[in-house]
Amino acid sequence: MTRPFGYFVHHQGRGHAERCAAIAHALPAERPLTIFCARDDIFPPLPAQARIVRIPSLFEATGDEATTMDWVPTPATLHCAPLGWPGIRQAMATISGWFASADPALMICDVSAEIAQLSRICSVPHVKILQHGDRGDAGHRAAYDGAAGLLAAFHADLAQPDWDTGMRARTCFAGGLGVDTHVPDRAEARARIGVEANVELVLVLSGGGGGGFGQAPLGIGARSRPASRWITIGPVVRDWHATEPHNIEHRGWVDNPADYVAAADLVIASTGNTTCQQILAAARPWLAIPEWRYFDEQHRKADAIAAAGVACVRPHLPSSADAWGDAIAEALATHAPDRQRRLIAAAPAADAARWLETLADRLWTPPDQPARNAA
């Protein structure tokens, strides 16, 4: 029987689950896959050989926790490891118990420094999903340095300059992983979302990992460009002092974001990984605004995007009509669609699955035998 892969999926946002599902479908049908996650409702459909095991959240209190023990120092090699939490004990016991019973070939961690280190401690080789951010701390270094390999759901041109040659050599870059890279026809997309063919559409896109953009600055932007139609999808933070013009509409969560991106003349969006890959695949003019995330993840992603020349980047939404005008003019003038499309692989999930299979084969092939998938 083929040894299984394990996969830990963080449940904040949807990107972790979407790239897990993409890899699951690309793996060989005979490769069992056990997914550990605190939620099972964030996943797209999965293949028959994949199953989800729900575990307690590693960072959300339920009320069953002991009185705070925060006076006990947290070692630098851990990020979130509160004491006295039965849910964490249950989650770790479930995963380590599966390690003992299933004898997995590989554990994929997306993302948790603690789960990555648990895998290494339990003598299970792991692959760590690589994210942008200021992650040179001891916890991330332990997870990365102890990994059999690293997997990045973006193109190598978006690598951070502080990732050295050795780190990049251990990384599989898969631009577009987890995203449907088929771009709908612009005219058909406009018809589906109810936007006229001849109007300039400015799309504001907020992902599921945060609270969204503020209503007030978006109102200023829409008022500064009155001939355009502005549509927001995803969350928007309501501001009591916001005064909005008639040309902005908030549609909230939608089931077809790809249609909106394909229909847009300009996209204003944060720099979460799924959002980035959707916009790059559609090759649309992009005003990129990083949101707050742990370890400044989106800010470092924005730096990489700016360096690659695939978006106009601002540190926050423009705060005046003049600033909006300057940002939009730059986004339109510097648009490089061919450069954007080049950062999306033709078959990123297949590339990642092939790399994982080759890595597992190398790990479990005795040194005196040739690896089955050796190039």
Side-chain angles (χ1 to χ4, degrees):
M1 179 178 176
T2 303
R3 299 169 78 170
F5 284 175
Y7 205 131
F8 171 79
V9 175
H10 197 296
H11 61 284
Q12 182 180 16
R14 298 296 177 104
H16 307 284
E18 288 167 349
R19 56 184 170 241
C20 171
I23 290 173
H25 283 284
L27 288 171
E30 65 272 15
R31 176 71 71 183
L33 180 66
T34 298
I35 302 164
F36 299 92
C37 187
R39 291 178 60 180
D40 56 11
D41 61 338
I42 59 175
F43 289 84
L46 295 167
Q49 77 269 24
R51 69 183 184 109
I52 301 173
V53 175
R54 286 196 61 175
I55 58 173
S57 171
L58 303 179
F59 62 91
E60 294 169 292
T62 63
D64 296 330
E65 294 75 22
T67 183
T68 180
M69 302 181 193
D70 287 350
W71 56 271
V72 180
T74 300
T77 50
L78 299 176
H79 294 150
C80 184
L83 294 172
W85 283 39
I88 293 179
R89 288 194 293 273
Q90 181 183 340
M92 295 299 188
T94 299
I95 295 172
S96 59
W98 180 80
F99 286 162
S101 63
D103 190 23
L106 200 61
M107 182 68 174
I108 304 160
C109 299
D110 187 6
V111 286
S112 166
E114 287 76 24
I115 298 296
Q117 293 180 68
L118 175 71
S119 303
R120 182 63 192 251
I121 290 169
C122 290
S123 197
V124 174
H126 74 272
V127 164
K128 185 73 171 64
I129 300 294
L130 183 60
Q131 293 181 292
H132 289 85
D134 298 324
R135 301 180 191 269
D137 58 276
H140 278 109
R141 292 314 319 174
Y144 294 156
D145 293 346
L150 306 171
L151 177 58
F154 46 84
H155 193 278
D157 284 1
L158 298 181
Q160 289 182 197
D162 57 306
W163 297 343
D164 61 28
T165 302
M167 186 173 177
R168 296 187 194 203
R170 299 169 57 225
T171 301
C172 171
F173 292 95
L177 178 62
V179 175
D180 182 358
T181 56
H182 169 73
V183 181
D185 175 78
R186 181 177 182 273
E188 294 176 0
R190 287 198 165 211
R192 282 192 291 269
I193 67 174
V195 172
E196 304 87 342
N198 61 347
V199 68
E200 182 182 68
L201 174 60
V202 178
L203 174 69
V204 181
L205 192 163
S206 295
F213 291 124
Q215 181 184 20
L218 295 178
I220 296 171
R223 184 174 290 106
S224 74
R225 208 170 179 85
S228 301
R229 183 170 178 183
W230 290 52
I231 294 177
T232 75
I233 60 175
V236 171
V237 179
R238 303 295 177 175
D239 294 318
W240 67 268
H241 50 85
T243 53
E244 294 187 329
H246 72 283
N247 62 325
I248 187 167
E249 175 188 358
H250 305 294
R251 295 194 177 181
W253 291 111
V254 298
D255 295 327
N256 56 334
D259 281 334
Y260 285 83
V261 176
D265 295 297
L266 171 68
V267 179
I268 300 166
S270 56
T271 53
N273 194 66
T274 298
T275 299
C276 291
Q277 306 308 306
Q278 287 176 326
I279 299 169
L280 292 172
R284 291 296 183 261
W286 180 13
L287 175 56
I289 312 291
E291 293 185 80
W292 184 93
R293 291 292 185 274
Y294 293 102
F295 304 103
D296 267 345
E297 175 187 338
Q298 290 206 8
H299 285 274
R300 297 294 81 76
K301 174 71 74 62
D303 293 342
I305 288 166
V310 293
C312 169
V313 175
R314 292 291 188 272
H316 51 72
L317 289 174
S319 57
S320 68
D322 285 351
W324 270 109
D326 290 344
I328 291 175
E330 181 180 333
L332 296 175
T334 59
H335 181 218
D338 291 342
R339 193 178 302 162
Q340 289 177 312
R341 293 189 189 96
R342 191 174 60 80
L343 299 190
I344 301 297
D351 294 342
R354 190 180 309 110
W355 177 80
L356 288 167
E357 288 291 329
T358 301
L359 178 61
D361 191 43
R362 179 188 176 194
L363 287 164
W364 295 101
T365 299
D368 58 343
Q369 298 180 19
R372 180 186 55 189
N373 295 319

